[in-house]
Amino acid sequence: MFSRKVPYVAQVQESECGLCCVSMVMGYYGEHISVKSLSKIVEVGRDGVSLNDMKGILERKQYEVKLYEVSTSMLDKIEKAPLILYWNNSHFVVLESIRKNEFVIVDPNIGRMKLKEEEFKKFFSNIVLLATPKENKEYISEKENYFKVYTDFFKSEKKIFLLLLFISILSYAVTLVAPNLMRFFTEYYENKQQVANLRNFLWIILAIFSFLMIYTLRSLVVIKFSAAMDKSIYIKVINKMFHVPYSFFLTRNSSDLMYRLGLLKTNREYLINTVLMGLIDFGMVITVNIMMFYINPALVVYTLLASFLMGVILVYIRKIILKNHKLEILQGTKLQSLEYETMSAMFTVKAGNQESFMNKLLNEQYVKSLEFYKKRTFSNDLYSMVISAFSIFGPVCLFLVIIFVLESEISIGKAIFGYTLLGIYFSSLGSIFTAFNVYGTLKNNLERISDILEHPSDTNRSDSIEINEIETIEFKDVYFKYPGQKSYVLKNLNFTIHSGEKVAFVGKTGSGKSTIIGLILGLYSPNQGEILINGYKLEMLDKEKLKSLIGFVPQEPFIFNKSIKENIVMNQDIPMEKVEEVCRVAQIYEEIHLMPMKYETVVSESGQNISGGQKQRIILARSLVNNPELIILDEATSSLDNLTEKAITSYFKNNNKTQIVIAHRLSTILNSDTIFILEDGVIMESGSHEYLLVNSQSYRELNRESEVAYS
């Protein structure tokens, strides 16, 4: 159907399959633009992009775009160009060709596949997008260097890298001593006196000693180099993860990010033990060919022919390996995600009698992952088998060539020398092809890691302003929607909060209350309008300084598997007197002192060994330990009894702290200066508790619901 192949662009996250398909179609026409660049045109949310979004991108890039609703039988009647297909009602793929009732598709999640018509019909959702370049279109090509993080490290550690290369070359030079000794002993086999010369034995002892010393030294340098590289890359990736905007995590699965961190260790082994050694072995292959040419030029021709045959077979198997590796990563990520979710929700699973259901889900996903592991391992073993076969039998076959074809031209000593060299040659050649194979796997892994490293950082501007107190917080005509979403969750918000005030936001679930908190904390940026702190735009302020003035207690507080004290001070040098003071305020002091280990009591993972109320109060103590100007409570007292809640509220009032409270239990906000009622992201009414009870039907209903729920 088409004259060229569609270049495969792998998706790194589930939501970007549409952009990958757009990138592939553009690549088909010779225009190479990364998914990362395309995502700057259309923001990708958790739901991905729509066909209309893809149409808009392509039109902006000077393509004629048509959308069709067609049956499978009509596909080959559409113009002869790649088609983006809506797939399985939730995904996008590219149709590359139709040949003899066989459909070739390129799936961003898997790669190139061939499907029979019956199977194709099961997944095809009957909607296609056709894009063709306009006349006089300007073509752009980008180049992505996924290995930049490693090449930067090599540049910074040139001395160790060059030392490693030098030692490796020395080790191969020593390796070539053995074939030369064999040649010498064979040539002078009948002259026992010359062979048994003390000098020859000294040479052998020196060669063995040099071999052991060089390999030991190389091992030590490799360990030092790989450890330094691993530390450098890991620190860089982790540091980057803490400096990307929060929106980055809204469109990525946390277990997938954990899986990517695990790939760093895999990459280290691949890069040092395989790719780097393969590059060094390339020098060995050239050296052996030169030495073979010295024995007889005809031998070089035979070795190159054997190498070509070996290469053709291995390149074919490599394609299968890369496809199976991508599938294994996909299923492995899903398994890890399911494992993480199951372990995190074990209380709910057991309380809800869901053990059998979750057990079945895990087993089914494990079996899927295991199947792809078996396929990938088999293809890897097949690859290794071909290398071993050539390494073992290649020298034998070429030795027969020496005996029967080149017998009169080569002495027995040179024949043995050539045979030994051929063993080294095919072993080194196998190492090169293995490195080539691993390079593809390494690139697959680095695509996922580069997604972290190349994401724009959420850093302070060079002219950022530091403030030491929060006098006012003002929202002016603020609109906000989450990445990739079409509708706004907040619309036209206008309000001002002054220092020392207590302000509350109430409304039904999904009305936008917690999103307002995210905007104040700088986790999100408004799509329209301005947020002003002390009259300055929020984006102009030093973010770290601003956050140091805010104490935040989230709706679902997270406790670390550390001591109670460590959970409060969070690696800061805080006097014990201050820790005890905030624990008294948070009404947790007495309970901590009843524990055998007191502040050194270790909280189990996710706070499983303490109550919900204790967890909330520990987090409250954490938020107060730096004496913040502003306290934000997002349903932060939902697990507390009325007396404890009143004591905490009294402290905030007496200390003139600015408070922003989100609450379903309206008894916690009765003394608020202003209460804002939110409905579908819009402030419908505002005023004091007494005013709203008289003038707001919505507030009276919320008050009745609260009294019933918490009575």
Side-chain angles (χ1 to χ4, degrees):
M1 188 174 176
F2 311 125
S3 58
R4 297 187 298 274
K5 281 195 170 186
V6 172
Y8 173 55
V9 176
Q11 67 182 65
V12 174
Q13 58 200 53
E14 290 184 10
S15 58
E16 64 183 22
C17 60
L19 293 185
C20 290
C21 289
V22 170
S23 181
M24 285 192 275
V25 167
M26 295 171 79
Y28 172 84
Y29 293 110
E31 186 170 23
H32 302 286
I33 299 181
S34 68
V35 171
K36 181 179 63 181
S37 296
L38 294 176
S39 65
K40 293 175 183 176
I41 302 173
V42 173
E43 196 171 29
V44 182
R46 280 200 179 272
D47 299 331
V49 294
S50 66
L51 277 165
N52 281 328
D53 290 329
M54 294 153 67
K55 181 174 182 285
I57 293 171
L58 288 161
E59 286 177 340
R60 183 168 171 174
K61 293 293 182 180
Q62 298 177 296
Y63 286 82
E64 291 282 355
V65 184
K66 296 177 183 177
L67 293 173
Y68 297 98
E69 185 172 355
V70 297
S71 63
T72 302
S73 59
M74 295 172 62
L75 282 172
D76 58 357
K77 294 180 174 63
I78 300 175
E79 295 182 35
K80 311 299 183 183
L83 301 172
I84 296 177
L85 309 182
Y86 188 40
W87 196 248
N88 202 26
N89 293 315
S90 61
H91 189 50
F92 293 106
V93 300
V94 175
L95 175 64
E96 183 181 79
S97 63
I98 304 173
R99 295 192 188 94
K100 297 179 181 178
N101 201 33
E102 193 171 61
F103 295 75
V104 179
I105 66 164
V106 188
D107 188 333
N109 205 16
I110 299 171
R112 192 168 274 98
M113 296 189 302
K114 294 180 181 179
L115 301 176
K116 296 295 182 184
E117 185 173 353
E118 297 74 23
E119 189 177 5
F120 180 87
K121 283 181 177 178
K122 289 179 186 177
F123 298 101
F124 179 43
S125 302
N126 300 107
I127 299 175
V128 303
L129 182 150
L130 169 66
T132 52
K134 293 181 179 178
E135 291 184 17
N136 304 318
K137 170 182 162 46
E138 295 181 6
Y139 290 86
I140 302 169
S141 285
E142 298 176 347
K143 287 187 178 179
E144 288 194 272
N145 180 13
Y146 294 117
F147 290 85
K148 186 178 184 300
V149 64
Y150 289 105
T151 54
D152 286 348
F153 173 77
F154 291 161
K155 289 175 184 176
S156 66
E157 298 290 342
K158 278 183 184 176
K159 289 182 180 178
I160 301 179
F161 181 60
L162 292 174
L163 178 62
L164 178 59
L165 284 176
F166 177 70
I167 294 171
S168 298
I169 291 167
L170 277 182
S171 67
Y172 286 124
V174 173
T175 303
L176 291 173
V177 170
N180 274 293
L181 287 171
M182 283 298 296
R183 179 186 62 80
F184 175 78
F185 293 145
T186 306
E187 293 283 0
Y188 295 97
Y189 175 74
E190 294 181 355
N191 191 341
K192 297 287 194 297
Q193 186 175 359
Q194 189 166 355
V195 171
N197 190 298
L198 179 62
R199 186 176 60 183
N200 292 337
F201 286 109
L202 289 174
W203 275 113
I204 294 172
I205 292 169
L206 179 62
I208 294 171
F209 179 76
S210 301
F211 179 86
L212 294 174
M213 289 299 295
I214 289 170
Y215 267 82
T216 302
L217 183 60
R218 187 177 78 165
S219 177
L220 292 172
V221 174
V222 165
I223 291 169
K224 181 179 179 181
F225 184 75
S226 59
M229 182 181 72
D230 199 38
K231 181 181 178 182
S232 171
I233 307 303
Y234 183 82
I235 289 173
K236 188 174 287 188
V237 173
I238 290 295
N239 183 58
K240 184 69 176 186
M241 286 184 72
F242 283 110
H243 286 86
V244 294
Y246 181 65
S247 57
F248 174 87
F249 299 97
L250 293 177
T251 56
R252 288 158 181 84
N253 188 295
S254 58
S255 58
D256 178 48
L257 292 174
M258 291 170 61
Y259 188 81
R260 296 185 201 186
L261 292 178
L263 291 177
L264 290 172
K265 296 179 179 62
T266 306
N267 288 353
R268 177 190 64 199
E269 302 300 324
Y270 281 161
L271 197 67
I272 297 296
N273 297 334
T274 307
V275 176
L276 187 59
M277 293 303 107
L279 290 172
I280 294 167
D281 278 326
F282 184 74
M284 175 61 79
V285 164
I286 293 172
T287 303
V288 170
N289 269 310
I290 292 170
M291 297 178 78
M292 295 290 285
F293 185 84
Y294 162 72
I295 297 171
N296 191 299
L299 277 178
V300 178
V301 176
Y302 288 113
T303 54
L304 291 177
L305 286 172
S307 304
F308 177 76
L309 177 61
M310 180 180 177
V312 168
I313 297 170
L314 292 180
V315 166
Y316 175 76
I317 300 172
R318 178 178 179 269
K319 292 179 181 178
I320 300 171
I321 289 174
L322 291 179
K323 178 182 175 182
N324 288 337
H325 181 257
K326 287 169 186 171
L327 290 168
E328 187 186 13
I329 286 179
L330 171 67
Q331 296 301 329
T333 302
K334 288 182 178 178
L335 176 62
Q336 190 170 39
S337 176
L338 191 57
E339 290 169 342
Y340 176 79
E341 290 169 357
T342 303
M343 296 304 110
S344 300
M346 191 55 74
F347 178 85
T348 306
V349 170
K350 285 191 166 291
N353 194 30
Q354 298 295 317
E355 293 97 331
S356 297
F357 174 72
M358 293 307 300
N359 189 14
K360 183 181 177 183
L361 277 182
L362 277 169
N363 284 331
E364 286 176 353
Q365 186 56 46
Y366 176 76
V367 169
K368 288 180 184 177
S369 301
L370 193 62
E371 284 302 311
F372 286 109
Y373 160 77
K374 285 157 63 177
K375 288 180 181 179
R376 194 265 305 165
T377 303
F378 178 75
S379 55
N380 274 346
D381 289 345
L382 193 62
Y383 196 91
S384 299
M385 182 192 72
V386 172
I387 291 173
S388 298
F390 273 87
S391 297
I392 295 168
F393 297 105
V396 174
C397 294
L398 288 174
F399 189 66
L400 292 175
V401 172
I402 293 172
I403 293 173
F404 294 107
V405 180
L406 306 172
E407 180 184 7
S408 59
E409 302 174 32
I410 299 178
S411 66
I412 187 64
K414 286 185 176 180
I416 295 295
F417 181 46
Y419 174 80
T420 313
L421 282 177
L422 286 169
I424 297 171
Y425 175 83
F426 280 106
S427 176
S428 299
L429 193 65
S431 175
I432 293 169
F433 279 114
T434 300
F436 180 61
N437 180 38
V438 166
Y439 173 84
T441 303
L442 192 61
K443 187 179 177 184
N444 285 344
N445 294 348
L446 284 173
E447 284 177 1
R448 285 171 154 72
I449 294 166
S450 294
D451 178 54
I452 300 171
L453 289 172
E454 295 180 13
H455 198 279
S457 296
D458 185 20
T459 55
N460 285 322
R461 295 163 42 145
S462 58
D463 58 346
S464 61
I465 301 166
E466 284 193 15
I467 58 172
N468 296 311
E469 57 183 357
I470 299 175
E471 297 170 353
T472 58
I473 300 170
E474 184 179 3
F475 274 50
K476 293 180 66 176
D477 305 321
V478 169
Y479 287 77
F480 175 76
K481 58 183 177 181
Y482 285 100
Q485 300 296 312
K486 303 300 180 188
S487 57
Y488 288 99
V489 294
L490 296 176
K491 306 155 199 168
N492 197 31
L493 294 191
N494 288 276
F495 61 83
T496 302
I497 301 170
H498 296 278
S499 176
E501 286 186 337
K502 180 177 180 180
V503 171
F505 291 92
V506 298
K508 294 181 180 179
T509 302
S511 59
K513 303 184 297 296
S514 294
T515 306
I516 291 174
I517 302 303
L519 286 165
I520 294 172
L521 291 169
L523 300 179
Y524 317 125
S525 297
N527 299 99
Q528 295 179 42
E530 295 177 339
I531 299 173
L532 306 174
I533 309 288
N534 298 354
Y536 298 109
K537 291 182 181 179
L538 183 60
E539 60 268 23
M540 295 174 62
L541 300 180
D542 184 295
K543 293 181 176 63
E544 290 185 13
K545 182 63 177 176
L546 175 63
K547 287 180 181 178
S548 71
L549 301 174
I550 302 173
F552 174 52
V553 185
Q555 185 174 352
E556 297 179 2
F558 187 83
I559 292 283
F560 295 93
N561 184 204
K562 301 286 185 182
S563 70
I564 290 175
K565 180 184 175 183
E566 287 174 309
N567 267 290
I568 293 171
V569 302
M570 295 297 287
N571 206 35
Q572 299 177 89
D573 187 15
I574 305 289
M576 197 61 208
E577 295 78 15
K578 182 64 178 178
V579 174
E580 292 182 341
E581 178 192 332
V582 294
C583 286
R584 285 191 178 94
V585 174
Q587 305 296 302
I588 190 71
Y589 175 84
E590 292 182 3
E591 290 175 50
I592 292 173
H593 278 265
L594 289 174
M595 299 176 186
M597 298 294 291
K598 296 182 172 56
Y599 290 93
E600 297 306 319
T601 301
V602 176
V603 182
S604 66
E605 185 180 10
S606 300
Q608 300 285 352
N609 61 342
I610 58 176
S611 70
Q614 288 173 326
K615 192 188 303 184
Q616 278 194 327
R617 283 174 284 161
I618 290 171
I619 301 300
L620 180 59
R622 179 197 295 170
S623 71
L624 293 172
V625 80
N626 287 311
N627 196 33
E629 291 271 313
L630 167 67
I631 295 291
I632 299 176
L633 305 172
D634 186 358
E635 290 289 346
T637 56
S638 59
S639 297
L640 306 184
D641 59 72
N642 288 329
L643 289 175
T644 302
E645 184 187 331
K646 285 179 181 177
I648 293 170
T649 302
S650 175
Y651 167 81
F652 290 144
K653 184 177 181 180
N654 294 336
N655 285 272
N656 201 35
K657 298 282 186 185
T658 306
Q659 298 174 64
I660 298 176
V661 182
I662 290 175
H664 282 103
R665 189 196 295 182
L666 298 191
S667 60
T668 64
I669 60 168
L670 299 181
N671 61 343
S672 298
D673 296 289
T674 308
I675 299 170
F676 294 99
I677 302 174
L678 280 168
E679 285 185 22
D680 296 324
V682 177
I683 295 176
M684 303 301 292
E685 296 170 279
S686 64
S688 66
H689 172 70
E690 293 76 13
Y691 172 83
L692 291 172
L693 274 179
V694 174
N695 296 285
S696 172
Q697 177 65 27
S698 298
Y699 188 74
R700 287 195 295 271
E701 289 177 4
L702 286 170
N703 192 54
R704 280 196 297 270
E705 290 173 7
S706 175
E707 288 175 350
V708 171
Y710 295 100
S711 59

